[in-house]
Amino acid sequence: MDHSMHSDMGHGDMGHGDMDMGGKCNMNMLFTWSSENLCIVFRSWHITGPFSFIFSLIAIVILAAGYEGVRSATRKYEIAHAQRLSAFLSTTTTTGDAEIADPIIANGLADTIPQTHHESSPLLVGRANKAALVRKGKLITAALYAIQVFYSFFIMLLFMTYNGQVMIAVAVGAFVGYLAFSEGTPAEKTIACH
């Protein structure tokens, strides 16, 4: 068996080489305050000095605050969708009954024509529109939920650098985001990752 291609690899190198242009990412599994060779989530998000570290902390604060913005946008969409459904139901019920009843009453035929709805009744069209509105709302709500879950796991990965400053930046971002986007909502959390 030829082992010549393995002779240049260091222990644990796995043959990938040093792909981040000169520095290795420091992967901590214990809490640390050191930012030396710190890579945040991606190998390309490598801290090379104090400026890049400060810029990264600011970016993390903005990212964490953005998560609260996404949650706020989702809440607003859910409220607006519920209002659209409510308005649609009250408009369809009122308009549908009036459109069918008014011509009958106006022609004096109320007693002679049975009160049944035909296949082209606005109420049946209203049901189809309501179902489409409900489906659309459910799809958009599900997409917003998926974005929230993805976003929260990304923030969890930021936290799992085990770097004290990065953890504090995540908490500051959550604080800033809550101040900016909370609009009186309770501070309780439903997703455990953030």
Side-chain angles (χ1 to χ4, degrees):
M1 184 184 305
D2 183 19
H3 296 287
S4 62
M5 68 180 232
H6 297 290
S7 63
D8 291 339
M9 292 191 299
H11 182 68
D13 190 18
M14 303 294 284
H16 297 292
D18 198 10
M19 296 169 48
D20 59 342
M21 295 184 250
K24 292 190 181 248
C25 291
N26 188 7
M27 185 71 165
N28 290 309
M29 295 304 287
L30 298 172
F31 182 79
T32 182
W33 290 99
S34 174
S35 63
E36 185 178 337
N37 291 323
L38 175 65
C39 289
I40 302 175
V41 182
F42 305 106
R43 194 175 281 274
S44 59
W45 193 352
H46 190 168
I47 304 302
T48 57
F51 179 74
S52 67
F53 189 54
I54 290 171
F55 179 74
S56 294
L57 292 177
I58 292 169
I60 290 167
V61 168
I62 292 168
L63 280 168
Y67 173 73
E68 295 301 325
V70 170
R71 290 184 66 219
S72 174
T74 301
R75 284 190 299 269
K76 286 179 182 177
Y77 177 78
E78 288 174 338
I79 291 168
H81 181 65
Q83 289 172 346
R84 275 192 301 275
L85 275 177
S86 176
F88 181 82
L89 291 175
S90 65
T91 302
T92 302
T93 304
T94 305
T95 308
D97 290 344
E99 287 175 358
I100 292 169
D102 288 344
I104 294 172
I105 294 170
N107 293 331
L109 303 172
D111 295 330
T112 60
I113 298 175
Q115 297 293 322
T116 59
H117 299 291
H118 303 290
E119 289 299 318
S120 62
S121 169
L123 289 177
L124 294 175
V125 173
R127 281 189 209 127
N129 288 339
K130 178 189 173 209
L133 186 62
V134 168
R135 266 193 315 273
K136 179 182 175 188
K138 190 163 187 147
L139 284 172
I140 292 173
T141 303
L144 289 169
Y145 179 74
I147 291 168
Q148 285 184 63
V149 170
F150 180 85
Y151 209 149
S152 67
F153 279 115
F154 185 82
I155 291 171
M156 178 194 65
L157 291 174
L158 292 172
F159 208 84
M160 288 181 61
T161 60
Y162 295 100
N163 182 282
Q165 291 100 326
V166 171
M167 292 174 165
I168 290 170
V170 168
V172 168
F175 174 80
V176 169
Y178 186 79
L179 286 178
F181 301 111
S182 70
E183 300 160 3
T185 57
E188 64 194 34
K189 300 297 294 177
T190 57
I191 296 177
C193 295
H194 175 69

